[in-house]
Amino acid sequence: MTNYRIVVLPGDGIGDEITHVTVDLLRAISSKHKFKLDISYEDFGGSAIDKYNDPLPIKTLNSCKASDAVLLAAIGSPKYDNNPRDQRPESGLLRLRSEMELFANLRPVKTRHALLEASSLKPEYIKDVDLLVVRELTGGIYFGKPKAKVNTDNISRAFNTMVYSDYEINRIAQIAFELCKNRRKLLCSVDKANVLEVSQLWRECVNSVSKEYPDITLSHQYVDNAAMQLIRKPDQFDVILTSNLFGDILSDEAAMLTGSIGMLPSASINLDGPGLFEPVHGSAPDIAGQDIANPIAMILSASMLLRIGLQEIKAADDLEKAVDMVLTDGYRTPDLLSINTKKVGCKEMGNKILQSLNEI
Ligand code: IPM
Ligand code: MG
């Protein structure tokens, strides 16, 4: 029986609640599909700062690197807002992505039929949305140097650098084109080439990679226009390829098309090592501990872990099917509630999905 080593990072805020529900489902699915999961928990984010003054302790990093896949809930809390930058939860996440060289972040956004009414957009605009944001994750302005906050002659200044090398753009473009092959074959690269040199290089590189993919239709949009098009006509998009910062912003926007950011999973991968699978949403400290968080983004992240990280395709399909069954039955956490739906908490949502899994 195959045995996979999974590292789970519950993190902060609602992390514990949604992790509990998700790990129960993973255990159920592994016994159903006859593989073993060797699950270990590690400290990460705010909870690691509290214990070790470090959001990414070395033990956590080493376990992640030695695993087959990493499942993360969420990190962050206002409690650390005034900490020095390297002692904030977010810095741990950026270091983890960088240390594991997870340069490709995949954020699929697909409308679920049962949730058409939960979106703030009209159903006719979102009913056919099925897009994938491919975000570059280990470069750009998030990591560019020089960066600093300085004070000279009583004037405070701060700066960051948005920088990309050709090889960083080429490898993320290649991933996006490859993923496009099994989809509608439309790739839209998003940049700000009318203003930024770094975007001009981005566009040149994407154009040159596109020559290897004659079957895929490539278009380019400026990021301001793309933000508008996502609301105006979201079903025009198949794969959106973009840089770290633009992808951060556009993926939150795209998440809302489906009704709640509580639905959106993500996978961060490279070409060979273990991947990191995490919901797009944050740790939501304001609702932590109340059993009202939506665990579905983390459950769907676990499904991406099964599909992309472990190649357990049938198990991933089952998990997604179980989620759809529960939504079709009308069960909703408070973030998704609309007329004629039944309100459940985080735990109960997990139980309902578990029941559906047993019925498949
Ligand atoms: C995300 C988050 C992170 C990011 C934060 C928590 C550092 O917003 O994964 O989208 O900006 O990448
Ligand atoms: Mg974000």
Side-chain angles (χ1 to χ4, degrees):
M1 208 189 267
T2 324
N3 192 357
Y4 301 107
R5 286 158 305 165
I6 307 295
V7 170
V8 175
L9 309 171
D12 309 316
I14 58 171
D16 274 337
E17 304 158 55
I18 60 176
T19 298
H20 204 99
V21 163
T22 307
V23 169
D24 278 354
L25 285 164
L26 274 177
R27 290 201 194 280
I29 209 119
S30 68
S31 59
K32 183 168 177 209
H33 287 272
K34 312 259 176 297
F35 53 85
K36 281 182 97 172
L37 295 178
D38 175 2
I39 296 179
S40 60
Y41 292 83
E42 298 290 350
D43 294 305
F44 183 55
S47 50
I49 297 175
D50 291 345
K51 282 196 196 164
Y52 308 104
N53 261 327
D54 181 356
L56 176 59
I58 187 74
K59 174 170 178 283
T60 301
L61 178 60
N62 288 339
S63 306
C64 290
K65 283 185 173 170
S67 73
D68 292 307
V70 181
L71 181 65
L72 163 65
I75 49 143
S77 160
K79 186 173 150 192
Y80 309 102
D81 281 356
N82 297 319
N83 280 19
R85 181 152 298 277
D86 63 339
Q87 280 174 42
R88 290 204 201 170
E90 292 79 5
S91 306
L93 181 57
L94 297 185
R95 253 173 59 215
L96 183 62
R97 289 170 176 172
S98 175
E99 288 274 356
M100 293 178 73
E101 295 175 64
L102 303 169
F103 67 86
N105 182 221
L106 319 181
R107 299 187 160 182
V109 180
K110 189 172 179 182
T111 300
R112 291 186 185 253
H113 234 106
L115 292 182
L116 271 181
E117 295 302 325
S119 174
S120 50
L121 296 192
K122 296 193 188 91
E124 66 260 37
Y125 288 95
I126 54 155
K127 65 178 184 358
D128 297 321
V129 169
D130 180 0
L131 63 86
L132 173 69
V133 179
V134 178
R135 169 188 176 194
E136 199 292 325
L137 203 61
T138 51
I141 198 166
Y142 272 57
F143 294 93
K145 291 199 175 109
K147 61 171 180 177
K149 273 164 99 176
V150 290
N151 189 301
T152 34
D153 302 329
N154 271 332
I155 298 177
S156 294
R157 290 165 61 237
F159 50 88
N160 292 86
T161 303
M162 191 186 268
V163 55
Y164 273 112
S165 300
D166 52 5
Y167 75 91
E168 292 176 291
I169 306 169
N170 293 338
R171 67 182 180 184
I172 188 73
Q174 240 141 19
I175 296 248
F177 277 105
E178 284 297 325
L179 289 164
C180 222
K181 279 184 178 168
N182 298 322
R183 300 178 51 102
R184 282 179 290 142
K185 299 191 170 50
L186 305 172
L187 193 141
C188 180
S189 172
V190 173
D191 61 37
K192 189 68 187 170
N194 51 345
V195 176
L196 304 174
E197 276 74 8
V198 60
S199 283
Q200 285 156 14
L201 179 66
W202 181 276
R203 201 174 271 220
E204 285 161 26
C205 290
V206 174
N207 279 333
S208 99
V209 174
S210 81
K211 298 203 179 89
E212 295 158 39
Y213 298 90
D215 294 348
I216 290 167
T217 309
L218 170 66
S219 61
H220 300 275
Q221 282 183 12
Y222 298 136
V223 63
D224 48 348
N225 182 35
M228 181 184 76
Q229 296 295 338
L230 265 175
I231 302 296
R232 191 185 77 86
K233 197 174 170 4
D235 60 6
Q236 71 183 278
F237 294 107
D238 178 17
V239 174
I240 296 177
L241 163 64
T242 193
S243 59
N244 206 342
L245 180 65
F246 298 160
D248 179 45
I249 299 165
L250 293 180
S251 59
D252 266 31
E253 187 189 359
M256 275 318 285
L257 301 171
T258 62
S260 167
I261 196 167
M263 293 295 297
L264 199 67
S266 85
S268 304
I269 56 168
N270 57 28
L271 296 177
D272 33 41
L276 169 70
F277 301 84
E278 55 168 317
V280 171
H281 63 68
S283 59
D286 51 324
I287 60 162
Q290 299 171 40
D291 192 35
I292 55 172
N294 183 352
I296 294 181
M298 187 165 182
I299 294 168
L300 295 177
S301 301
S303 152
M304 290 187 91
L305 180 154
L306 294 168
R307 189 182 303 282
I308 300 172
L310 310 182
Q311 274 92 44
E312 292 287 349
I313 311 295
K314 283 200 183 112
D317 286 345
D318 273 9
L319 192 51
E320 281 177 38
K321 202 165 160 197
V323 169
D324 274 335
M325 283 163 73
V326 170
L327 292 172
T328 305
D329 285 345
Y331 296 104
R332 304 279 188 275
T333 42
D335 54 312
L336 291 172
L337 216 54
S338 60
I339 38 165
N340 296 329
T341 58
K342 293 165 262 191
K343 186 165 153 183
V344 290
C346 178
K347 266 195 209 132
E348 203 182 342
M349 180 57 98
N351 289 337
K352 296 279 178 211
I353 296 172
L354 200 57
Q355 273 167 26
S356 298
L357 205 55
N358 293 332
E359 285 163 23
I360 293 173

